[in-house]
Amino acid sequence: MSEQNLLDVMIARTKLSKKQTDKQQKIVEAAIRIFAEKGYSNTSTSEIAQAAGVAEGTIFRHFGTKDNLLLSVILPFLKEWVPVMAEDVFQEIMSEEASFEDFVRALIKNRIAFIKENKEVFQVVVKEFLYNEELRKELFPHLSESIGSRLTNVLQRFQARGELADIPIDRLKRMLISFVGAQFVSRFVLLPEIQDLDEDAEVEAIVKFIMNGIGK
Amino acid sequence: MSEQNLLDVMIARTKLSKKQTDKQQKIVEAAIRIFAEKGYSNTSTSEIAQAAGVAEGTIFRHFGTKDNLLLSVILPFLKEWVPVMAEDVFQEIMSEEASFEDFVRALIKNRIAFIKENKEVFQVVVKEFLYNEELRKELFPHLSESIGSRLTNVLQRFQARGELADIPIDRLKRMLISFVGAQFVSRFVLLPEIQDLDEDAEVEAIVKFIMNGIGK
DNA sequence: TGATTTAGTGAGTAACTACTCACTTTTATA
DNA sequence: TATAAAAGTGAGTAGTTACTCACTAAATCA
């Protein structure tokens, strides 16, 4: 992977994001589609060029390396993922006197909507996050900082209010993230062919599981 | 991937499993190590040969193709995974008058022990299951049949006993598997560097989450 | 022991890989 | 409109890939 700091690339890419060529966009779209289907490592630049209706050289004119093309797919998604986590859900909900259950439900619905809008990129992110150790090691600290710390605050507040069981915050956080994450991964990556049979009911079941478990 | 039926390969490999050469074993061991670290697609046969202290031709003498080598890594693991799921835990526990909580605890402890013994292969299986669509499509039916149906029986019995919430079995099953699976994946694949800080407490937290959720 | 099968080798190969570069075409600017 | 800059091209390149095959070494069997 790229040796330079990912945050720098992230910022640089944002500045350039306004002036994007037609073909540049076609390349990214094709890359997303094929990366999602077969994985980054199993995709050749010539295949992307063909799918995008572009000469192979054009890819390298704009993105320099194949690695950079992957970043151009993943980073915009993550850049949107993180702040939306902050504003749309956290602030809005926390200002009111909402219950933890409401918070969890709103968070899950919000994230499902976002993933649905970016289904293929989500698939790429999940697959490469698991497969590409360098990428993971580079991105993990940023994600766990920006998302994790926010979640810690929220959980602490709800635990102080007495709405949560007396489990250490870190363990709570880990279980929450991995459970919800697993739902998203199994729904949108492992079994993407399944349609929304009953999305609301599914969300409700997830919320109930989190709140009350499955015992009786 | 291989065109032939995976079950046939599975059976064929079992028959041959007795007479395994020294070098054959070294190759598999090296493959497991490197596949787990960098992923199948990012590993070359020459790299495996070098790590195993073997000529590259030797790999192809024994395994024919790189795909077959991957199967020789994954299938023995799955072949052990499935029956142990049946005997060690299911039968033993179900014969007694154990509670659902006992069952879950025993199941999780048993699976953790098995994964610990086969940590690297587990990593390979998880990564390739997500990355390699053909492999997933081939293996998924067998796994969901042998494991899923057994779990369905167990859940039905406990639900009939009134120990479980009135959630449709399929949804129960999906949530249970994805939650427990997520714990294993995050523990042994995403964050393998973390040691057993307090494994019993962690297992207990997982069990409690499943039984009672995190609400109060 | 001699003969046959099996294990092991490593140089060789065709296909593919990411990437380059001299060139043409299009766009922006003066 | 003339000029400079940027976008786009595709044949070419050096390196790597999975895999082959003629061969030698070791094990098995008569």
Side-chain angles (χ1 to χ4, degrees):
Chain A
M1 290 300 302
S2 156
E3 293 91 5
Q4 36 188 331
N5 189 329
L6 269 195
L7 281 185
D8 295 343
V9 180
M10 225 157 163
I11 289 157
R13 207 147 299 284
T14 316
K15 286 176 185 162
L16 297 169
S17 66
K18 292 157 197 170
K19 36 178 178 178
Q20 244 200 344
T21 312
D22 229 51
K23 305 225 161 187
Q24 213 168 336
Q25 220 166 342
K26 287 248 170 81
I27 291 168
V28 172
E29 284 167 15
I32 288 173
R33 202 179 336 121
I34 309 177
F35 285 167
E37 191 198 324
K38 335 191 324 177
Y40 172 79
S41 300
N42 298 324
T43 304
S44 69
T45 48
S46 75
E47 196 178 353
I48 296 167
Q50 205 183 347
V54 147
E56 206 177 339
T58 310
I59 293 178
F60 292 95
R61 163 111 323 168
H62 285 295
F63 302 95
T65 64
K66 194 189 164 195
D67 271 354
N68 255 316
L69 177 56
L70 176 63
L71 292 179
S72 300
V73 166
I74 287 180
L75 293 183
F77 175 89
L78 292 183
K79 277 191 66 178
E80 261 195 272
W81 178 277
V82 174
V84 172
M85 284 282 283
E87 293 143 31
D88 279 29
V89 184
F90 284 76
Q91 278 194 326
E92 185 188 330
I93 292 266
M94 292 310 290
S95 60
E96 310 164 25
E97 273 299 322
S99 68
F100 181 71
E101 187 171 331
D102 293 335
F103 165 77
V104 168
R105 186 170 9 243
L107 181 64
I108 290 171
K109 284 197 170 178
N110 174 286
R111 293 298 84 188
I112 286 179
F114 184 73
I115 292 171
K116 271 182 158 177
E117 277 172 23
N118 303 276
K119 208 170 168 178
E120 284 177 320
V121 185
F122 180 71
Q123 288 173 15
V124 176
V125 170
V126 169
K127 287 182 182 179
E128 297 311 322
F129 203 79
L130 208 79
Y131 217 71
N132 188 326
E133 196 183 350
E134 290 187 44
L135 191 77
R136 181 171 66 247
K137 286 199 170 165
E138 195 89 42
L139 295 180
F140 194 84
H142 300 296
L143 291 176
S144 72
E145 189 195 348
S146 52
I147 296 173
S149 67
R150 243 185 283 276
L151 194 57
T152 300
N153 287 337
V154 174
L155 291 177
Q156 270 170 340
R157 218 185 297 190
F158 279 115
Q159 202 172 45
R161 274 204 230 163
E163 288 193 50
L164 291 177
D166 291 327
I167 303 168
I169 294 283
D170 274 357
R171 192 172 284 156
L172 258 181
K173 205 169 64 174
R174 235 182 302 140
M175 290 200 298
L176 249 185
I177 289 176
S178 67
F179 176 59
V180 175
Q183 295 300 127
F184 293 163
V185 169
S186 67
R187 187 118 213 57
F188 296 106
V189 183
L190 288 175
L191 305 164
E193 62 276 3
I194 293 178
Q195 293 302 322
D196 318 328
L197 289 167
D198 192 349
E199 189 181 301
D200 283 343
E202 195 107 13
V203 171
E204 220 45 48
I206 294 171
V207 173
K208 288 278 181 279
F209 191 138
I210 291 171
M211 297 307 297
N212 311 314
I214 59 176
K216 212 177 183 177
Chain B
M1 291 303 302
S2 158
E3 294 89 6
Q4 36 189 330
N5 189 328
L6 270 193
L7 281 184
D8 294 344
V9 181
M10 224 156 162
I11 290 157
R13 206 145 300 283
T14 317
K15 285 175 183 162
L16 296 168
S17 66
K18 292 157 195 167
K19 36 179 176 175
Q20 244 199 344
T21 312
D22 228 51
K23 306 224 161 188
Q24 213 167 337
Q25 221 166 342
K26 285 249 170 79
I27 290 168
V28 172
E29 283 167 15
I32 288 173
R33 203 178 337 119
I34 308 177
F35 286 165
E37 190 198 327
K38 335 192 324 178
Y40 173 79
S41 299
N42 299 323
T43 305
S44 69
T45 49
S46 75
E47 196 178 353
I48 296 167
Q50 204 182 347
V54 149
E56 207 177 339
T58 310
I59 293 178
F60 292 94
R61 161 111 323 170
H62 285 295
F63 302 95
T65 64
K66 195 189 163 192
D67 272 353
N68 255 317
L69 176 56
L70 176 62
L71 292 178
S72 300
V73 166
I74 288 180
L75 293 183
F77 175 89
L78 292 182
K79 278 189 66 179
E80 260 196 273
W81 179 277
V82 175
V84 171
M85 283 281 283
E87 293 144 28
D88 280 29
V89 185
F90 284 74
Q91 280 195 325
E92 184 187 328
I93 291 267
M94 294 307 290
S95 60
E96 309 166 24
E97 274 299 321
S99 66
F100 181 71
E101 186 171 330
D102 293 336
F103 165 76
V104 169
R105 187 171 7 246
L107 181 63
I108 289 172
K109 284 197 170 178
N110 173 286
R111 291 299 83 186
I112 286 178
F114 184 73
I115 292 171
K116 272 182 156 177
E117 276 172 21
N118 305 275
K119 208 170 169 180
E120 284 177 321
V121 185
F122 180 71
Q123 289 173 14
V124 176
V125 170
V126 169
K127 286 182 184 181
E128 297 312 321
F129 203 77
L130 208 78
Y131 217 72
N132 189 327
E133 197 183 350
E134 289 185 46
L135 190 77
R136 181 172 65 248
K137 286 198 168 163
E138 195 90 41
L139 295 179
F140 194 83
H142 300 297
L143 291 176
S144 71
E145 189 195 349
S146 51
I147 296 173
S149 68
R150 240 184 284 277
L151 194 56
T152 301
N153 287 337
V154 174
L155 291 178
Q156 271 171 339
R157 216 186 296 192
F158 279 115
Q159 202 172 46
R161 275 205 229 163
E163 287 193 50
L164 291 178
D166 290 328
I167 302 169
I169 294 283
D170 274 356
R171 192 171 285 156
L172 257 181
K173 205 170 64 177
R174 236 182 302 141
M175 290 198 300
L176 248 184
I177 290 177
S178 66
F179 177 59
V180 176
Q183 295 301 126
F184 293 164
V185 169
S186 67
R187 189 123 213 52
F188 296 107
V189 183
L190 288 175
L191 305 164
E193 64 274 4
I194 293 178
Q195 293 302 321
D196 318 329
L197 289 167
D198 192 349
E199 188 180 303
D200 283 343
E202 195 108 14
V203 171
E204 219 45 49
I206 293 171
V207 173
K208 288 278 180 281
F209 190 142
I210 292 171
M211 298 307 295
N212 312 313
I214 59 175
K216 211 176 183 176

